[in-house]
Amino acid sequence: MKSFNLVLISFLLITTLVFAQSKDEIEIRRLEKHWTELLDKGDTNSLLKIWSKDYVVNNPNGKIVTPKEIVSLMKSGHIFPAVERIIEKITFNQNIAIVMGKELQQPGDLTTNLEEWIPRRFTNVWIRNGKSWQLIARQSSEITRKNK
């Protein structure tokens, strides 16, 4: 009977851990889509809630920027080109989620032909603060022809 109870408790613990991880993955995937939509809408107030106060970006131009600089750019009228993000891997380590993949950025002429969009690789890092996740870091680089 003791071994049955031990097996049952072990099963319940493992099931709980697996479910929690999948719940976190679902939430990170939702947030990845949501913050991109907010960027498209220019909703700086909502973005500031999703971004950590320490959020930092190494952008495709090789410049490191902060929320203050991004918001200032958006308020000056800058519109970010549309991006289609393809998540390839999400890794969890305690209260950190690392999202990696490929994204296609709409070029400056705003063509809707996806074959002309600029391919990039990205890494987004999320941190869980209490019950919610915040984006704390991002890096994106254009894929050169020889790297495709």
Side-chain angles (χ1 to χ4, degrees), residues 97-110:
I98 302 166
V99 182
M100 294 181 168
K102 179 179 180 179
E103 56 191 16
L104 297 172
Q105 178 192 323
Q106 189 177 36
D109 63 6
L110 303 180

Side-chain angles (χ1 to χ4, degrees), residues 3-139:
S3 63
F4 175 75
N5 287 339
L6 186 58
V7 169
L8 181 61
I9 290 170
S10 296
F11 175 76
L12 290 173
L13 285 173
I14 290 169
T15 305
T16 302
L17 290 173
V18 169
F19 178 75
Q21 187 175 11
S22 105
K23 181 180 173 185
D24 284 339
E25 183 169 338
I26 290 167
E27 178 63 3
I28 292 296
R29 287 181 184 278
R30 184 192 73 76
L31 286 167
E32 281 286 333
K33 184 176 181 177
H34 183 61
W35 85 266
T36 303
E37 291 167 348
L38 293 173
L39 194 63
D40 289 344
K41 293 177 185 174
D43 187 345
T44 55
N45 290 330
S46 295
L47 284 167
L48 288 170
K49 292 175 186 172
I50 288 178
W51 295 337
S52 161
K53 65 179 177 70
D54 299 316
Y55 179 55
V56 63
V57 177
N58 188 351
N59 70 24
N61 299 324
K63 184 176 180 191
I64 297 172
V65 294
T66 64
K68 182 179 178 183
E69 293 163 302
I70 298 167
V71 168
S72 176
L73 186 63
M74 292 171 74
K75 288 188 176 186
S76 74
H78 178 78
I79 298 172
F80 287 96
V83 172
E84 294 289 329
R85 190 167 295 122
I86 300 135
I87 296 172
E88 295 174 358
K89 177 80 173 160
I90 300 176
T91 303
F92 292 91
N93 188 342
Q94 297 177 8
N95 66 335
I96 302 288
I98 302 166
V99 182
M100 294 181 168
K102 179 179 180 179
E103 56 191 16
L104 297 172
Q105 178 192 323
Q106 189 177 36
D109 63 6
L110 303 180
T111 180
T112 56
N113 180 357
L114 286 177
E115 291 182 18
E116 295 179 32
W117 286 30
I118 303 162
R120 302 188 308 200
R121 301 296 301 170
F122 77 91
T123 300
N124 291 337
V125 181
W126 296 82
I127 188 166
R128 184 179 17 228
N129 290 325
K131 293 183 180 182
S132 65
W133 289 93
Q134 287 189 302
L135 191 57
I136 193 164
R138 172 173 167 72
Q139 187 276 329

